[in-house]
Amino acid sequence: MINIGIKEQDRKEITAGLNQVLADTYSLYLKTHSFHWNVTGPMFTSLHQLFEEQYTELAAAVDLIAERVRALGARALGSYSAYAALTGIKEDHGITDANEMLRELLKGQEVIIRNIRSLYPLINQANDEATADLLTQRIQTHEKTAWMLRSLLAV
């Protein structure tokens, strides 16, 4: 029995939302890593490096999110099939155009931002400050990354 001041039903709902964010984050990690390997063209060097920075940050985030799920007493999802069933981020299906890669990563960042924002009413109701803090940091990171991707697409 976990007795941390958050009702069991609230913990279940919060961890379901966190597992959604985990699935989205891992899916975006995979896509970003694929784009890192496969980007070509005149922006190769800068995008190759940018994508590496982004997938490295996402890999660290996956661990933080999963550990928060565990701290709240639930099982953190950890399989491709579980992530695929939950995520709103489309897989990389062989995109080779650098600008399309940027657009796809931007869409993925925005999916995560929206999913995180949708958790705040429940988190606030449950007085789950630790999850709120984690997700506030995640939103800041995703919004900054989205801004940078948008800036690269500006014409």
Short mmCIF file of all heavy atoms in Angstrom, two decimals, residues 47-72:
data_model
loop_
_atom_site.label_atom_id
_atom_site.label_comp_id
_atom_site.label_asym_id
_atom_site.label_seq_id
_atom_site.Cartn_x
_atom_site.Cartn_y
_atom_site.Cartn_z
N LEU A 47 22.06 19.50 -39.06
CA LEU A 47 20.91 18.69 -38.64
C LEU A 47 21.34 17.39 -37.97
O LEU A 47 20.71 16.96 -37.00
CB LEU A 47 19.99 18.41 -39.83
CG LEU A 47 19.23 19.61 -40.37
CD1 LEU A 47 18.34 19.20 -41.53
CD2 LEU A 47 18.43 20.31 -39.28
N HIS A 48 22.39 16.78 -38.46
CA HIS A 48 22.91 15.56 -37.85
C HIS A 48 23.25 15.83 -36.38
O HIS A 48 22.87 15.06 -35.49
CB HIS A 48 24.14 15.10 -38.63
CG HIS A 48 24.71 13.79 -38.19
ND1 HIS A 48 24.11 12.59 -38.46
CD2 HIS A 48 25.85 13.52 -37.52
CE1 HIS A 48 24.86 11.61 -37.96
NE2 HIS A 48 25.92 12.15 -37.39
N GLN A 49 23.91 16.94 -36.12
CA GLN A 49 24.27 17.32 -34.74
C GLN A 49 23.03 17.70 -33.93
O GLN A 49 22.91 17.30 -32.77
CB GLN A 49 25.28 18.46 -34.75
CG GLN A 49 26.64 18.04 -35.27
CD GLN A 49 27.59 19.21 -35.48
OE1 GLN A 49 27.21 20.37 -35.43
NE2 GLN A 49 28.86 18.89 -35.73
N LEU A 50 22.14 18.47 -34.52
CA LEU A 50 20.91 18.87 -33.81
C LEU A 50 20.08 17.66 -33.42
O LEU A 50 19.62 17.56 -32.28
CB LEU A 50 20.08 19.81 -34.69
CG LEU A 50 18.75 20.27 -34.09
CD1 LEU A 50 18.97 21.16 -32.87
CD2 LEU A 50 17.91 20.97 -35.15
N PHE A 51 19.90 16.74 -34.36
CA PHE A 51 19.11 15.55 -34.07
C PHE A 51 19.76 14.70 -32.98
O PHE A 51 19.08 14.12 -32.14
CB PHE A 51 18.87 14.73 -35.33
CG PHE A 51 18.04 15.41 -36.39
CD1 PHE A 51 18.04 14.95 -37.69
CD2 PHE A 51 17.26 16.53 -36.10
CE1 PHE A 51 17.28 15.56 -38.68
CE2 PHE A 51 16.49 17.16 -37.08
CZ PHE A 51 16.51 16.68 -38.37
N GLU A 52 21.09 14.65 -32.96
CA GLU A 52 21.78 13.91 -31.90
C GLU A 52 21.52 14.56 -30.53
O GLU A 52 21.24 13.86 -29.56
CB GLU A 52 23.29 13.84 -32.16
CG GLU A 52 24.03 13.05 -31.10
CD GLU A 52 25.49 12.84 -31.42
OE1 GLU A 52 25.99 13.36 -32.44
OE2 GLU A 52 26.15 12.15 -30.62
N GLU A 53 21.59 15.87 -30.47
CA GLU A 53 21.29 16.56 -29.21
C GLU A 53 19.86 16.25 -28.76
O GLU A 53 19.61 16.00 -27.58
CB GLU A 53 21.45 18.07 -29.38
CG GLU A 53 22.87 18.53 -29.56
CD GLU A 53 22.96 19.99 -29.99
OE1 GLU A 53 21.95 20.73 -29.93
OE2 GLU A 53 24.07 20.40 -30.41
N GLN A 54 18.94 16.26 -29.71
CA GLN A 54 17.54 16.03 -29.38
C GLN A 54 17.28 14.60 -28.93
O GLN A 54 16.59 14.38 -27.94
CB GLN A 54 16.65 16.42 -30.56
CG GLN A 54 16.62 17.91 -30.78
CD GLN A 54 15.79 18.33 -31.98
OE1 GLN A 54 15.17 17.51 -32.64
NE2 GLN A 54 15.77 19.62 -32.26
N TYR A 55 17.82 13.61 -29.65
CA TYR A 55 17.54 12.23 -29.22
C TYR A 55 18.25 11.91 -27.91
O TYR A 55 17.74 11.13 -27.10
CB TYR A 55 17.81 11.19 -30.31
CG TYR A 55 19.23 10.79 -30.58
CD1 TYR A 55 19.98 10.04 -29.67
CD2 TYR A 55 19.83 11.10 -31.80
CE1 TYR A 55 21.29 9.66 -29.94
CE2 TYR A 55 21.12 10.70 -32.08
CZ TYR A 55 21.85 9.99 -31.15
OH TYR A 55 23.14 9.60 -31.42
N THR A 56 19.38 12.52 -27.64
CA THR A 56 20.07 12.30 -26.37
C THR A 56 19.23 12.85 -25.22
O THR A 56 19.08 12.19 -24.17
CB THR A 56 21.46 12.96 -26.40
OG1 THR A 56 22.23 12.36 -27.46
CG2 THR A 56 22.20 12.78 -25.08
N GLU A 57 18.65 14.03 -25.42
CA GLU A 57 17.79 14.62 -24.39
C GLU A 57 16.54 13.77 -24.19
O GLU A 57 16.13 13.52 -23.05
CB GLU A 57 17.41 16.05 -24.80
CG GLU A 57 16.78 16.88 -23.69
CD GLU A 57 15.34 16.50 -23.39
OE1 GLU A 57 14.59 16.18 -24.33
OE2 GLU A 57 14.96 16.51 -22.20
N LEU A 58 15.95 13.27 -25.27
CA LEU A 58 14.75 12.44 -25.16
C LEU A 58 15.06 11.12 -24.44
O LEU A 58 14.23 10.64 -23.66
CB LEU A 58 14.18 12.16 -26.55
CG LEU A 58 13.52 13.36 -27.23
CD1 LEU A 58 13.34 13.11 -28.72
CD2 LEU A 58 12.20 13.71 -26.57
N ALA A 59 16.23 10.55 -24.68
CA ALA A 59 16.61 9.30 -24.00
C ALA A 59 16.68 9.51 -22.48
O ALA A 59 16.21 8.66 -21.71
CB ALA A 59 17.95 8.79 -24.53
N ALA A 60 17.22 10.63 -22.06
CA ALA A 60 17.27 10.93 -20.62
C ALA A 60 15.87 11.15 -20.07
O ALA A 60 15.55 10.72 -18.96
CB ALA A 60 18.15 12.15 -20.38
N ALA A 61 15.01 11.79 -20.85
CA ALA A 61 13.64 12.07 -20.42
C ALA A 61 12.85 10.78 -20.21
O ALA A 61 12.05 10.69 -19.27
CB ALA A 61 12.94 12.97 -21.43
N VAL A 62 13.05 9.82 -21.08
CA VAL A 62 12.35 8.53 -20.96
C VAL A 62 12.59 7.94 -19.58
O VAL A 62 11.66 7.47 -18.92
CB VAL A 62 12.80 7.57 -22.08
CG1 VAL A 62 12.42 6.13 -21.79
CG2 VAL A 62 12.23 8.00 -23.42
N ASP A 63 13.81 7.99 -19.13
CA ASP A 63 14.16 7.44 -17.82
C ASP A 63 13.46 8.20 -16.69
O ASP A 63 12.90 7.59 -15.77
CB ASP A 63 15.67 7.46 -17.63
CG ASP A 63 16.13 6.54 -16.52
OD1 ASP A 63 15.72 5.37 -16.52
OD2 ASP A 63 16.89 7.00 -15.67
N LEU A 64 13.46 9.51 -16.76
CA LEU A 64 12.81 10.32 -15.71
C LEU A 64 11.31 10.05 -15.64
O LEU A 64 10.75 9.92 -14.55
CB LEU A 64 13.06 11.81 -15.97
CG LEU A 64 14.50 12.29 -15.85
CD1 LEU A 64 14.61 13.74 -16.31
CD2 LEU A 64 14.99 12.15 -14.41
N ILE A 65 10.68 9.97 -16.79
CA ILE A 65 9.24 9.74 -16.83
C ILE A 65 8.91 8.35 -16.28
O ILE A 65 8.00 8.19 -15.46
CB ILE A 65 8.70 9.92 -18.26
CG1 ILE A 65 8.92 11.36 -18.73
CG2 ILE A 65 7.22 9.54 -18.33
CD1 ILE A 65 8.82 11.54 -20.24
N ALA A 66 9.66 7.35 -16.72
CA ALA A 66 9.43 5.98 -16.25
C ALA A 66 9.64 5.87 -14.74
O ALA A 66 8.87 5.20 -14.04
CB ALA A 66 10.33 5.00 -16.99
N GLU A 67 10.65 6.54 -14.23
CA GLU A 67 10.91 6.49 -12.79
C GLU A 67 9.79 7.17 -12.00
O GLU A 67 9.45 6.73 -10.90
CB GLU A 67 12.26 7.12 -12.47
CG GLU A 67 13.41 6.22 -12.92
CD GLU A 67 14.78 6.83 -12.71
OE1 GLU A 67 14.88 8.03 -12.33
OE2 GLU A 67 15.76 6.11 -12.96
N ARG A 68 9.17 8.21 -12.57
CA ARG A 68 8.04 8.85 -11.88
C ARG A 68 6.84 7.91 -11.85
O ARG A 68 6.14 7.81 -10.84
CB ARG A 68 7.67 10.18 -12.56
CG ARG A 68 6.58 10.93 -11.82
CD ARG A 68 7.04 11.37 -10.43
NE ARG A 68 5.89 11.82 -9.64
CZ ARG A 68 5.81 11.74 -8.33
NH1 ARG A 68 6.83 11.26 -7.63
NH2 ARG A 68 4.74 12.15 -7.69
N VAL A 69 6.61 7.19 -12.95
CA VAL A 69 5.53 6.19 -12.97
C VAL A 69 5.75 5.18 -11.86
O VAL A 69 4.84 4.84 -11.11
CB VAL A 69 5.47 5.48 -14.35
CG1 VAL A 69 4.50 4.30 -14.31
CG2 VAL A 69 5.05 6.47 -15.44
N ARG A 70 6.98 4.70 -11.73
CA ARG A 70 7.30 3.71 -10.70
C ARG A 70 7.14 4.31 -9.29
O ARG A 70 6.64 3.63 -8.39
CB ARG A 70 8.73 3.20 -10.89
CG ARG A 70 8.92 2.41 -12.17
CD ARG A 70 8.11 1.12 -12.19
NE ARG A 70 8.52 0.29 -11.08
CZ ARG A 70 7.69 -0.37 -10.27
NH1 ARG A 70 6.39 -0.31 -10.44
NH2 ARG A 70 8.16 -1.09 -9.27
N ALA A 71 7.55 5.55 -9.10
CA ALA A 71 7.42 6.17 -7.78
C ALA A 71 5.96 6.29 -7.36
O ALA A 71 5.66 6.27 -6.17
CB ALA A 71 8.08 7.56 -7.79
N LEU A 72 5.08 6.37 -8.35
CA LEU A 72 3.64 6.45 -8.05
C LEU A 72 3.00 5.07 -7.95
O LEU A 72 1.78 4.96 -7.76
CB LEU A 72 2.93 7.29 -9.12
CG LEU A 72 3.26 8.78 -9.08
CD1 LEU A 72 2.68 9.49 -10.29
CD2 LEU A 72 2.75 9.42 -7.79
#
